Amino acid sequence: MDASVNNNDAVLGNLRASGVKYMLASYVDMHGVSKGKVVPVEHFDRMMSGSELCTGAALDGVPQDVSDEEVAAHPDPASCTVLPWNKDIAWFASDLWCEGKPFDACSRNILKRALSKAASMGYAMNLGMEAEFFVLRDDAERGYAPLSDRKHLDKPAYDVSRMLDNMGWMDELVQAMNSLGWDVYSFDHEDGIGQFEIDFNYFDALSMADRFVFFRLMAHEIARKHGGFATFMPKPFVDRAGSGAHFNMSLANINTGENLFSDTADPRGCNLSKLGYQFLAGVLKHLPAICAVVAPTVNSYKRLVLKGSMSGFTWAPVWACYGNNNRTNTLRIPMGGGRVELRAADSACNPYLGAALVLMAGLEGIEQQLDPGEPHGENMYLKSEEELRAMGITHLPKTLLEAIDAFDADPLSATAFGPAMKQAWLDFKRDEWASYINHVSDWEKSRYLKFY
């Protein structure tokens, strides 16, 4: 019997033994937001063969007309996850197919194509994503507010009292994550009011992207049970730090699993291998275009600023440069080496598309044997514009418009996304920018209405 049939039989047996009643054949739109249909467990075989059809034109960024054939969700049995907060339902990450073959513009398929290219070169990609987010409550007067009613601090990072105030939902979330084998090893209150970070194990890139999509869904559903909501908007408070989703990346030997980015004899002192530097250099080369995908909203660029937090610096990257264990660089080699951290990525990104574009950039760096130069160990926040120009260091895109223009101009975008998804991304994001600049904000009314 075909091995996939055996695997499916085992999955179905586990679902029935667990008392699961329903299944979600889930996929994402261009934003990385979960979509899908609910299927009774009695129809498992039909669902696994792609029975669940969806009209792509009803979704953001799926380049289809209403007259086109529907896309079909093909669940990945390895991704089967029983919802910890509702054990009647199991979730499956799914690939989209159309006309009997994988749909080119499916986010998960785009990442799988990038991973296939890496595999052809002998590499597997490991990825960790640091989950930063706010948990807030609706507030009739202010719109939204933190769950804790304690007086705000200018520097709330690592505050124990505020962490303890939020242990009800946090404990449930952490226990849920650990029940799924994610190995949470740390969590804390961050520098924003009501902002948190949870650090958990890294996985292969496809599994990590699946887990991050599921994490956003799970965090919000559990927060709702406790009277709040989880937001992955990068910067909900103008005077507080924003939420990143730093990509921690390495390549491994596809046969042995050996970390190919580790080198304790690194003459630059970062414990990164020559291959790691080449990968890093490719990412650095394409960083402006990458920003359009890993920092995908108008709001994202209000996080990528030097100052604007009550605690001082925002801790966000602003310069296209790399360094050692130094958080003032966009690309950082954390202490211990063996991996590269992209700090521009934020919690609103589509992890499949972000990982795909970053991986393709890194692979190009390897193919072209690029070198990023010497790492920066100094505080880059304190450099003047003149000093940065002399060093050949440029600013990251300052707005979504700058980023999407860079994405449009970079040939790697079409190589990674395919022409249809590249155009769909550009069309949607240009419309998003136009909507933003045509909106008359409270700031404008406050400043100009009675100014003259």
Side-chain angles (χ1 to χ4, degrees):
M1 184 179 290
D2 184 79
S4 64
V5 174
N6 283 330
N7 189 30
N8 286 353
D9 286 347
V11 171
L12 178 57
N14 289 336
L15 291 177
R16 285 177 169 159
S18 300
V20 168
K21 298 176 183 178
Y22 304 104
M23 305 169 298
L24 280 164
S26 185
Y27 52 91
V28 299
D29 63 9
M30 67 176 290
H31 313 296
V33 174
S34 295
K35 305 292 180 179
K37 289 187 175 182
V38 181
V39 179
V41 74
E42 291 79 11
H43 294 281
F44 174 86
D45 289 336
R46 292 182 67 252
M47 184 188 81
M48 298 305 290
S49 65
S51 65
E52 302 317 302
L53 306 178
C54 304
T55 303
L59 302 165
D60 283 344
V62 178
Q64 282 196 311
D65 291 326
V66 292
S67 57
D68 288 340
E69 181 176 314
E70 296 97 329
V71 290
H74 282 244
D76 182 346
S79 71
C80 178
T81 305
V82 177
L83 306 188
W85 67 95
N86 185 347
K87 295 185 182 297
D88 288 342
I89 302 173
W91 175 92
F92 290 79
S94 304
D95 301 330
L96 293 179
W97 286 46
C98 189
E99 299 179 348
K101 63 181 185 296
F103 184 53
D104 283 349
C106 166
S107 296
R108 201 168 189 266
N109 291 339
I110 288 169
L111 176 55
K112 289 172 78 172
R113 290 200 299 269
L115 292 169
S116 179
K117 176 177 174 61
S120 73
M121 298 169 66
Y123 309 131
M125 182 185 187
N126 288 321
L127 176 63
M129 293 180 67
E130 300 174 30
E132 292 183 347
F133 59 105
F134 288 78
V135 171
L136 307 171
R137 60 177 173 83
D138 292 315
D139 182 274
E141 181 179 341
R142 293 169 289 180
Y144 52 86
L147 285 177
S148 175
D149 60 2
R150 293 177 188 264
K151 182 181 178 181
H152 295 343
L153 299 175
D154 287 351
K155 295 188 176 184
Y158 313 121
D159 189 71
V160 172
S161 297
R162 281 155 187 77
M163 186 69 258
L164 294 177
D165 280 354
N166 287 272
M167 279 302 295
W169 65 263
M170 178 64 85
D171 176 61
E172 184 172 349
L173 179 56
V174 170
Q175 293 304 314
M177 295 168 72
N178 283 338
S179 75
L180 301 175
W182 292 13
D183 189 21
V184 173
Y185 56 84
S186 177
F187 57 91
D188 64 88
H189 192 286
E190 282 289 295
D191 200 38
I193 294 296
Q195 184 189 32
F196 303 88
E197 178 177 331
I198 302 180
D199 295 318
F200 56 100
N201 197 17
Y202 69 88
F203 300 92
D204 67 274
L206 185 63
S207 295
M208 185 68 242
D210 289 342
R211 283 165 169 77
F212 195 77
V213 166
F214 186 83
F215 172 80
R216 287 194 293 211
L217 174 68
M218 179 166 59
H220 184 59
E221 293 302 315
I222 289 176
R224 278 172 53 85
K225 292 173 60 179
H226 294 262
F229 62 91
T231 178
F232 294 88
M233 178 182 180
K235 188 149 182 175
F237 296 104
V238 67
D239 58 348
R240 300 289 176 174
S243 294
H246 304 159
F247 284 16
N248 288 272
M249 306 167 289
S250 63
L251 295 183
N253 182 301
I254 197 166
N255 296 314
T256 67
E258 176 193 0
N259 183 351
L260 299 176
F261 279 12
S262 181
D263 182 1
T264 56
D266 173 14
R268 288 169 169 161
C270 297
N271 294 326
L272 191 70
S273 67
K274 181 178 179 181
L275 188 82
Y277 282 113
Q278 291 173 346
F279 181 97
L280 186 154
V283 176
L284 198 58
K285 174 183 175 182
H286 294 282
L287 203 47
I290 288 170
C291 281
V293 181
V294 301
T297 72
V298 167
N299 184 252
S300 297
Y301 296 86
K302 299 182 179 183
R303 167 181 168 257
L304 300 179
V305 295
L306 193 62
K307 293 185 178 181
S309 170
M310 292 183 73
S311 64
F313 291 114
T314 64
W315 307 100
V318 291
W319 312 116
C321 56
Y322 95 97
N324 56 3
N325 189 39
N326 174 358
R327 288 169 172 80
T328 65
N329 292 280
T330 297
L331 287 161
R332 167 178 169 253
I333 305 168
M335 190 178 298
R339 58 189 166 104
V340 172
E341 180 187 69
L342 174 62
R343 298 178 55 78
D346 70 39
S347 59
C349 77
N350 179 328
Y352 301 107
L353 298 181
L357 190 56
V358 173
L359 175 57
M360 290 294 286
L363 294 177
E364 182 184 289
I366 292 170
E367 289 176 322
Q368 297 181 3
Q369 299 184 10
L370 301 181
D371 183 81
E374 294 301 309
H376 296 281
E378 66 272 37
N379 186 341
M380 302 303 290
Y381 287 168
L382 301 180
K383 297 291 183 184
S384 68
E385 293 283 353
E386 292 76 15
E387 289 173 314
L388 291 163
R389 277 196 297 271
M391 299 164 74
I393 294 174
T394 58
H395 204 290
L396 294 182
K398 296 180 181 179
T399 65
L400 178 62
L401 179 62
E402 286 186 22
I404 57 180
D405 283 345
F407 178 86
D408 191 6
D410 193 327
L412 188 68
S413 303
T415 303
F417 278 34
M421 187 57 181
K422 175 181 178 177
Q423 194 59 50
W425 186 269
L426 286 169
D427 290 346
F428 188 95
K429 290 299 173 181
R430 291 198 187 282
D431 283 347
E432 186 174 346
W433 177 256
S435 177
Y436 168 67
I437 61 171
N438 289 329
H439 171 70
V440 178
S441 67
D442 289 343
W443 182 91
E444 292 169 272
K445 288 180 279 190
S446 174
R447 184 172 180 86
Y448 301 124
L449 191 63
K450 298 181 179 179
F451 184 83
Y452 300 99

